[in-house]
Amino acid sequence: MSLLPRLALRQLRSQLRTTEWRALLLATWIAITLTTLLTLLGDRLERGLLRESANLLGADLVLSSSRPLDNDRLASIATQDVQTTRVVQFPSMISDPASTETPPMLVSVRAADTPYPLRGEIVTQPVQNQALPDKGEAWVEARILEQLELEIGDLLQLGYSQFRISAELISSPDRGSGFRSFSPQLLINRSDLDASGVLAPGSRANFRLLMAGSPEQIAALEAELDPTLADYERLLSLRLDQPLTGNTLGNALAYLKLAALTALLLSALTILLSLRRFSQKQYTRSALLLNLGLNSEQLLRIYLYQLLIAWGALALLGLASAASLDSLVQGWLSTLLPQQLPDATPLAWLSGPALGLVMLILLGLPPILSLSRVPVAHLLRGDTPPQDRRARLLQISCVLLLALTLLLFLRAPIAALILLALLLVGGVLFGYIAQAILTRVAEPLARRLLLGRLLRLRLRQQRRWHRLQSAVIVLLLTLLAVVWISRADLLSEWRAKFPTDTPNYFVINIQPWQRSDLDSFMQANAIDSALYPMIRGRLNQLNGKPIRPQLTPDQLGDNTLRRELNLSWALNKPEHNELLNGSWWSSTPEQPQISVEQDMMEDLGLKLGDRLGFDIGGQQVDAEITSIRGVEWTSFRPNFYVIFSPGALESYPSTWITSFRLEGERKRLATEMLQQFPSLTLVDIDQLLSQLATWLKRLGDSSAMVLGLTLVCGLILMAVTLLQALEQRRFEAALMQTLGASGEQTRRLDLLEFLLLGLVCGLLAGLSAELTLAGLHLALLDVDPKLHPWLWVTLPALSSAFFVLTGFLIRRPLQLDQCYRLLRSQS
Amino acid sequence: MDQSTLSPTMIEAQALSKHFDTEAGRVDLFTGIDLVVTRGESLAVIGRSGAGKSTLLSLLAGLDTPSSGSVSIDGHRIETLDDRQRADLRARKISFIFQSFHLLPELTALDNVRLPLEIRGAENPKHDARQWLDEVGLGERTDHYPSQLSGGEQQRVAIARAFATRPSLLFADEPTGNLDEETGRTIIDQLFRLNAQQGTTLILITHDSELAMRCQRRLRLHNGALTEV
């Protein structure tokens, strides 16, 4: 080995014993581990679930629509020389026909034509010869077998039909997107669909046309279809589809990455402080090496080699730890994910080490550059050369570059940027507030206690470190408390806020001819519910003219314009709506009238007397706004933006919707209802919420792990800051003892300082956690915030214990005879 | 009864020895040193680097324990005092001036001077500290931090800190070692002026024989023995 790397290796070896290098190594290791883990997870989820491109889509191009596919369009595509097949997917309840005990289960039904799929393959257990179940058969995922306690060969009930389960679905492409893709899936042949009666006109379903062909054909087809898409249609292709954004898993991953941002920032800060300390200690050595004949460039290379050697070892270590954590997370997720995740791409393994390298180089370059340029005269004068403007500029640009890299890595720049800004502003603010409180607290102490007077000076002496330490600890404790509480609290509080009579079942897709029978069933069983018709229509006119040109750009983005609305009609005002303005029709008026929801009125700037026009299945319907309603959207009852007076919409095809509450024993009525009306779609809200709860819990577990690593980062950073101040503290203690303080006095002073610092930080963290939680309650859940008194005890106790323990673990007692020697040694 | 009001002796060292045990064996720094310093006297200890001057200082100041022999400061036998009593003695009677000034960097000049006053629980530490900074000519710079002061100014703050507690015994360890000649001279003038004014007993450690000449008595530490010069 040539001289420079050898020198670097030796230097590194001897510095491994110093605390700044240990902290630096630990922080870099955690950063590499976290980055690798998150990239691995992201990569595998993307590839495995969402973007295994052709395989996942089941085709090269998919036309997805919330209405049955247009026949003309189908005919036009059929003339092109591409392979096509049709799929319908919808939510439905299935049950075990042999048991009245097991409650029905909400699943996602996929009914497909052969050939299916066009790309990728379906894996079943036992292995099947064909790609689709035969008529009368169904393939189901393991979760269905488990929950309904069924086995291969058993029958299941879907609508009016029974299906024999011929295989377990292990993995399959074309799972659909969004919540559909996460519900347990059932695959049947499309030719069985009509007989089951579950899908009637107007039913909620996703209709897909799968297409496959040569890249040129697909590109041509895509170009042709794209401009003709209706607003209820969407094209999914390898190029266009970015399914990771805007779905549950994508959000979960983004959330985890944001949680990791804190850990990465703490690591970066630790590395920055450690390197700064390292370079301060190296000035003399560098000056000596330069004096002995090395040039600046050689010196720079020695330090660079040193960083690179450390990075190489950490990269290997980080990869190993990321791999083991990855398998742990996969274990948690495996029960939730519909299929086995594929292995990560080799490139994904590189991200962690790459980010680690970028961190080390960007944070390391400024200090080692100034080390390589230290004047030899430093040996004589012994002073630290002042930082020139260029060096400071370099340091700032490096830190900015690093921030940019982190944002790019997180791939959610806006959210990350907001979080980054919040953390920075919050940190600075907490630092200063903590310091101000400490100073105020010290004043009365100083008037009463001799130690208080010393404390006042100590607080001044340590103020910079106190600011940094309190900022980090307050933010960490806030994060900890918020995650801890929201994990347990949020969902249960959200559920608890609903009145006890809140419906827990929705029935949708009720056909008009089923209405009276269903009504009788409800009455016979004393189920309190009201049926509402539902017709889809698009708002397109205001006062007889197209609405869009009459609105501001802001209003154009309103939800009510972006999609078709569910319209309804009723003679009487729904009981759970409040009439805010205008008057409700008492009978069928001559001209159609409408009642509009309050927010929609405000958002679109509408007023009573305005006329709104709707496109309903290609026909125009106009009506005058005669009343404004207040609607509680989270009431779990059918709610509508627009309700028509009777007589206006009856001629259009509609389905009906209702909701009701069943408890305890009466829940079996849901099963009975489904047996009597097999084609209805019954949505069990409790089931949905418990699915959501499982997700939140898993997410909580995964984020707890990231949070755990964040905490470790925070603790290392705290240890580094305490260590950095340690020598200064020892010097201060030596001086104080020489000036007349006793060893016991300095020990008590330390204890008082750490206790107070911990208390103040804990209280501030309690306050900031309560505020954050209150914000979450109000903004996310619309629940009145409540206080968590135990936080105000636990957090100060935790943080005081932390400061006192760390402080006293790191503190080495100073004997009197060492004091003077220590002071002399610094002469 | 307070012995200090009776005795003219400020420091009395008897048969003072200090040795260190190293891997290579025992190293005797000095053996059998006897010394009496009278109240108000100024005494210089000179000697080469490594002769043990600073160790002798820390023994005489009660900061270190001798291998054998005894030290009395103002009638108090150091070896009979516990940590707290020694601290109390230092707080009430002893001050130090160091070669490297040893000011706390995050405290202003005023707070640095205030520190020993706070340690001894003085009545009006801020006022006293300000007065002493005025005394050394730094009344306008009370809010400056050490990094904003020159070497000479820092040493003047250290002198103010040393005199602020009105000590009866002052140890100065190479007080001009880090200063240029002219500044050093000004500092020493100030030190001796205040010393005379306050009637403080001064023990000065130096290898500058010119500086030593300004003291009433000079002792040389050489080969473990202390001899009058």
Side-chain angles (χ1 to χ4, degrees):
Chain A
M1 206 192 300
S2 62
L3 176 69
L4 296 184
R6 210 169 55 225
L7 260 177
L9 193 62
R10 277 215 193 129
Q11 235 171 240
L12 178 64
R13 241 189 251 151
S14 69
Q15 276 150 4
L16 284 182
R17 271 176 248 123
T18 63
T19 38
E20 57 268 18
W21 266 88
R22 285 185 183 168
L24 180 143
L25 296 177
L26 217 55
T28 316
W29 177 38
I30 292 184
I32 292 181
T33 305
L34 255 185
T35 317
T36 313
L37 174 68
L38 289 175
T39 321
L40 284 182
L41 266 179
D43 181 70
R44 297 170 54 177
L45 286 176
E46 268 180 60
R47 288 181 346 107
L49 260 179
L50 310 152
R51 205 164 13 181
E52 198 27 338
S53 42
N55 249 346
L56 197 82
L57 232 42
D60 293 330
L61 188 66
V62 174
L63 175 65
S64 165
S65 167
S66 58
R67 289 186 188 172
L69 298 168
D70 181 39
N71 281 330
D72 290 347
R73 193 194 285 287
L74 288 176
S76 127
I77 295 173
T79 60
Q80 315 217 7
D81 191 20
V82 291
Q83 211 183 357
T84 60
T85 199
R86 289 166 67 178
V87 183
V88 188
Q89 191 173 18
F90 54 92
S92 187
M93 297 297 275
I94 59 168
S95 56
D96 175 4
S99 156
T100 49
E101 296 299 308
T102 330
M105 177 185 187
L106 182 67
V107 298
S108 177
V109 179
R110 233 184 319 162
D113 278 340
T114 44
Y116 184 79
L118 300 182
R119 292 282 186 259
E121 60 170 340
I122 293 176
V123 181
T124 56
Q125 183 71 40
V127 178
Q128 304 288 302
N129 293 327
Q130 72 275 28
L132 258 189
D134 286 332
K135 266 181 84 71
E137 289 185 355
W139 295 349
V140 300
E141 283 182 349
R143 275 189 288 172
I144 296 179
L145 296 179
E146 277 164 30
Q147 193 168 328
L148 292 181
E149 295 169 15
L150 293 173
E151 286 174 9
I152 308 285
D154 287 348
L155 288 174
L156 63 78
Q157 183 88 37
L158 169 69
Y160 289 102
S161 309
Q162 292 194 349
F163 292 84
R164 182 165 300 284
I165 303 171
S166 53
E168 182 190 328
L169 208 49
I170 305 287
S171 77
S172 71
D174 185 41
R175 290 183 55 86
S177 57
F179 199 74
R180 269 197 290 278
S181 63
F182 297 107
S183 293
Q185 297 226 343
L186 173 89
L187 184 63
I188 56 168
N189 203 305
R190 208 166 76 95
S191 53
D192 280 334
L193 194 56
D194 289 345
S196 74
V198 281
L199 209 61
S203 288
R204 311 216 128 221
N206 178 257
F207 301 85
R208 294 198 285 273
L209 180 71
L210 273 52
M211 295 162 269
S214 70
E216 296 76 29
Q217 286 172 320
I218 292 300
L221 195 56
E222 197 178 326
E224 182 191 321
L225 288 175
D226 199 38
T228 67
L229 291 179
D231 39 44
Y232 50 83
E233 289 176 325
R234 211 154 73 92
L235 264 188
L236 307 174
S237 72
L238 313 188
R239 192 175 57 78
L240 288 174
D241 197 24
Q242 298 286 330
L244 196 61
T245 50
N247 65 42
T248 326
L249 263 191
N251 289 342
L253 200 65
Y255 171 74
L256 283 186
K257 282 187 170 183
L258 283 183
L261 177 67
T262 321
L264 291 177
L265 283 179
L266 290 174
S267 303
L269 197 55
T270 307
I271 296 172
L272 183 79
L273 287 175
S274 303
L275 279 170
R276 185 189 287 177
R277 173 132 190 83
F278 161 70
S279 73
Q280 280 162 359
K281 279 169 115 181
Q282 288 294 307
Y283 275 124
T284 310
R285 187 188 167 91
S286 301
L288 190 70
L289 286 173
L290 287 173
N291 183 44
L292 291 176
L294 281 183
N295 60 36
S296 285
E297 191 215 338
Q298 286 170 317
L299 199 56
L300 184 66
R301 271 166 53 197
I302 291 180
Y303 287 119
L304 270 179
Y305 285 145
Q306 197 176 333
L307 283 181
L308 285 176
I309 296 168
W311 167 77
L314 288 171
L316 291 177
L317 204 64
L319 288 179
S321 48
S324 32
L325 287 179
D326 181 49
S327 59
L328 196 71
V329 175
Q330 220 195 332
W332 285 334
L333 293 180
S334 64
T335 48
L336 292 171
L337 296 180
Q339 48 201 343
Q340 191 73 26
L341 291 180
D343 286 337
T345 49
L347 213 61
W349 287 94
L350 292 181
S351 67
L355 190 78
L357 185 63
V358 170
M359 272 175 126
L360 278 184
I361 296 292
L362 283 180
L363 295 172
L365 206 57
I368 63 175
L369 259 179
S370 69
L371 265 186
S372 68
R373 289 179 191 156
V374 62
V376 180
H378 169 75
L379 282 179
L380 304 173
R381 291 200 310 265
D383 53 350
T384 309
Q387 217 182 19
D388 64 9
R389 256 186 49 205
R390 265 193 5 222
R392 202 162 295 161
L393 206 67
L394 177 74
Q395 194 167 24
I396 293 173
S397 359
C398 281
V399 168
L400 286 179
L401 262 176
L402 184 67
L404 194 72
T405 315
L406 286 181
L407 293 186
L408 283 179
F409 161 70
L410 293 169
R411 278 208 251 157
I414 300 296
L417 208 61
I418 293 172
L419 189 69
L420 199 69
L422 270 179
L423 285 176
L424 285 181
V425 172
V428 170
L429 209 65
F430 284 133
Y432 276 95
I433 295 176
Q435 203 197 341
I437 297 177
L438 281 172
T439 316
R440 295 279 177 293
V441 173
E443 282 306 320
L445 281 179
R447 281 196 291 274
R448 287 186 186 87
L449 295 174
L450 174 63
L451 209 56
R453 294 163 69 164
L454 294 179
L455 177 73
R456 196 165 49 183
L457 290 178
R458 164 68 62 84
L459 292 179
R460 271 180 226 167
Q461 167 75 4
Q462 290 289 329
R463 61 185 180 278
R464 285 190 195 156
W465 291 113
H466 284 167
R467 275 205 294 270
L468 179 64
Q469 285 158 350
S470 21
V472 173
I473 277 289
V474 172
L475 288 179
L476 270 183
L477 287 179
T478 305
L479 198 69
L480 188 74
V482 169
V483 171
W484 190 261
I485 291 178
S486 58
R487 201 175 147 224
D489 255 25
L490 283 185
L491 196 67
S492 59
E493 277 176 25
W494 186 61
R495 287 176 87 156
K497 85 163 189 166
F498 297 114
T500 44
D501 62 344
T502 303
N504 56 355
Y505 286 95
F506 261 101
V507 183
I508 55 174
N509 297 338
I510 305 166
Q511 300 304 318
W513 61 86
Q514 294 173 313
R515 234 186 95 197
S516 59
D517 289 347
L518 191 65
D519 250 346
S520 322
F521 177 88
M522 299 279 198
Q523 276 169 21
N525 289 295
I527 298 175
D528 179 22
S529 72
L531 283 153
Y532 295 90
M534 211 160 70
I535 296 147
R536 289 196 198 171
R538 173 166 292 276
L539 174 61
N540 63 354
Q541 288 194 348
L542 172 59
N543 295 326
K545 292 184 191 138
I547 188 165
R548 290 187 162 269
Q550 303 182 53
L551 298 177
T552 64
D554 251 11
Q555 290 173 327
L556 283 175
D558 195 75
N559 210 15
T560 50
L561 287 174
R562 276 190 286 139
R563 57 184 175 85
E564 288 193 303
L565 294 177
N566 285 318
L567 310 172
S568 190
W569 79 84
L571 178 60
N572 300 314
K573 179 183 74 65
E575 273 176 34
H576 56 283
N577 284 185
E578 190 187 349
L579 188 67
L580 298 173
N581 212 342
S583 57
W584 197 265
W585 43 86
S586 50
S587 58
T588 304
E590 276 179 30
Q591 293 296 319
Q593 296 183 8
I594 47 176
S595 171
V596 178
E597 189 261 343
Q598 175 190 19
D599 287 344
M600 179 175 168
M601 290 290 290
E602 278 171 19
D603 293 347
L604 297 185
L606 305 174
K607 52 187 189 305
L608 285 176
D610 278 345
R611 297 187 65 79
L612 293 184
F614 297 87
D615 172 5
I616 302 176
Q619 296 192 38
Q620 193 65 28
V621 179
D622 271 30
E624 183 190 341
I625 305 175
T626 53
S627 67
I628 302 171
R629 276 171 307 123
V631 170
E632 188 68 60
W633 287 103
T634 50
S635 64
F636 283 96
R637 291 173 205 277
N639 277 317
F640 302 93
Y641 279 113
V642 179
I643 297 180
F644 276 75
S645 58
L649 299 182
E650 278 87 334
S651 56
Y652 296 96
S654 61
T655 60
W656 292 66
I657 178 173
T658 187
S659 69
F660 50 86
R661 180 166 190 87
L662 293 175
E663 271 178 297
E665 265 296 288
R666 280 168 59 80
K667 282 195 172 190
R668 74 183 157 74
L669 289 175
T671 319
E672 277 179 40
M673 179 188 291
L674 216 57
Q675 279 163 351
Q676 205 170 326
F677 305 93
S679 67
L680 297 184
T681 305
L682 184 75
V683 179
D684 184 340
I685 308 280
D686 289 340
Q687 253 186 48
L688 268 180
L689 284 184
S690 71
Q691 275 185 25
L692 182 65
T694 318
W695 265 104
L696 285 181
K697 188 174 173 326
R698 297 294 173 185
L699 197 61
D701 286 344
S702 311
S703 62
M705 190 185 65
V706 173
L707 192 74
L709 285 174
T710 311
L711 265 187
V712 175
C713 283
L715 295 186
I716 299 171
L717 178 64
M718 293 310 290
V720 170
T721 56
L722 284 172
L723 275 171
Q724 296 238 353
L726 182 68
E727 275 173 41
Q728 195 191 340
R729 280 175 175 279
R730 278 174 73 75
F731 165 70
E732 189 192 326
L735 187 68
M736 282 180 62
Q737 280 180 250
T738 311
L739 294 179
S742 66
E744 176 61 20
Q745 239 175 340
T746 58
R747 203 180 66 85
R748 289 212 312 263
L749 181 61
D750 283 353
L751 184 68
L752 185 64
E753 176 198 352
F754 289 139
L755 260 179
L756 265 185
L757 186 61
L759 276 178
V760 169
C761 288
L763 288 174
L764 272 179
L767 179 72
S768 103
E770 291 280 22
L771 287 178
T772 315
L773 284 167
L776 282 178
H777 276 77
L778 287 172
L780 280 185
L781 309 180
D782 200 15
V783 178
D784 282 340
K786 64 169 191 190
L787 277 179
H788 304 83
W790 59 270
L791 262 190
W792 297 85
V793 180
T794 322
L795 291 183
L798 208 67
S799 121
S800 299
F802 167 74
F803 274 113
V804 171
L805 277 178
T806 332
F808 276 75
L809 276 180
I810 288 174
R811 182 188 199 273
R812 280 170 292 163
L814 203 56
Q815 298 301 322
L816 187 59
D817 59 337
Q818 294 173 307
C819 292
Y820 197 70
R821 279 206 290 277
L822 186 80
L823 293 179
R824 283 285 305 173
S825 71
Q826 298 203 356
S827 293
Chain B
M1 188 167 60
D2 190 351
Q3 299 171 41
S4 62
T5 52
L6 303 173
S7 167
T9 305
M10 191 64 199
I11 295 181
E12 184 171 8
Q14 286 179 335
L16 208 55
S17 303
K18 185 73 181 175
H19 64 251
F20 297 103
D21 291 315
T22 66
E23 280 177 19
R26 190 169 124 158
V27 177
D28 286 307
L29 207 52
F30 38 77
T31 46
I33 287 184
D34 293 312
L35 174 69
V36 173
V37 183
T38 53
R39 193 176 297 278
E41 182 182 20
S42 60
L43 171 83
V45 178
I46 52 177
R48 287 189 189 156
S49 295
K53 300 188 297 290
S54 292
T55 309
L56 180 63
L57 181 147
S58 57
L59 288 175
L60 294 180
L63 290 170
D64 202 350
T65 318
S67 306
S68 64
S70 69
V71 176
S72 296
I73 299 174
D74 209 4
H76 302 277
R77 283 181 67 106
I78 294 297
E79 61 271 25
T80 63
L81 304 180
D82 62 18
D83 181 44
R84 231 174 110 174
Q85 290 165 319
R86 285 192 201 193
D88 187 51
L89 185 69
R90 283 196 306 280
R92 282 188 299 114
K93 299 193 182 290
I94 307 175
S95 275
F96 294 86
I97 294 173
F98 308 94
Q99 179 180 351
S100 302
F101 329 132
H102 288 331
L103 302 177
L104 291 180
E106 306 281 336
L107 295 187
T108 59
L110 184 71
D111 282 340
N112 265 295
V113 178
R114 217 168 131 175
L115 183 63
L117 292 166
E118 298 282 17
I119 290 175
R120 68 190 311 204
E123 291 261 309
N124 205 344
K126 199 169 176 179
H127 174 263
D128 289 359
R130 201 179 288 279
Q131 210 170 27
W132 277 100
L133 280 172
D134 269 341
E135 184 69 45
V136 296
L138 289 174
E140 302 296 311
R141 313 202 61 178
T142 51
D143 290 333
H144 285 64
Y145 288 94
S147 59
Q148 297 167 319
L149 300 171
S150 70
E153 287 168 332
Q154 289 188 49
Q155 194 60 303
R156 275 150 70 193
V157 175
I159 290 175
R161 178 177 68 186
F163 281 103
T165 53
R166 300 184 186 276
S168 39
L169 180 57
L170 173 63
F171 290 95
D173 191 353
E174 308 272 13
T176 56
N178 279 3
L179 300 173
D180 62 67
E181 202 174 325
E182 199 181 327
T183 314
R185 213 170 6 247
T186 320
I187 292 292
I188 287 302
D189 285 346
Q190 200 158 42
L191 177 63
F192 276 91
R193 181 175 60 81
L194 289 172
N195 192 51
Q197 213 175 63
Q198 302 291 319
T200 318
T201 309
L202 172 68
I203 297 186
L204 180 75
I205 301 254
T206 182
H207 50 249
D208 178 351
S209 47
E210 199 181 323
L211 176 56
M213 288 304 287
R214 297 189 61 165
C215 291
Q216 294 159 341
R217 197 147 67 103
R218 285 159 295 283
L219 300 171
R220 180 187 304 279
L221 185 60
H222 185 62
N223 287 339
L226 199 61
T227 48
E228 296 266 353
V229 183

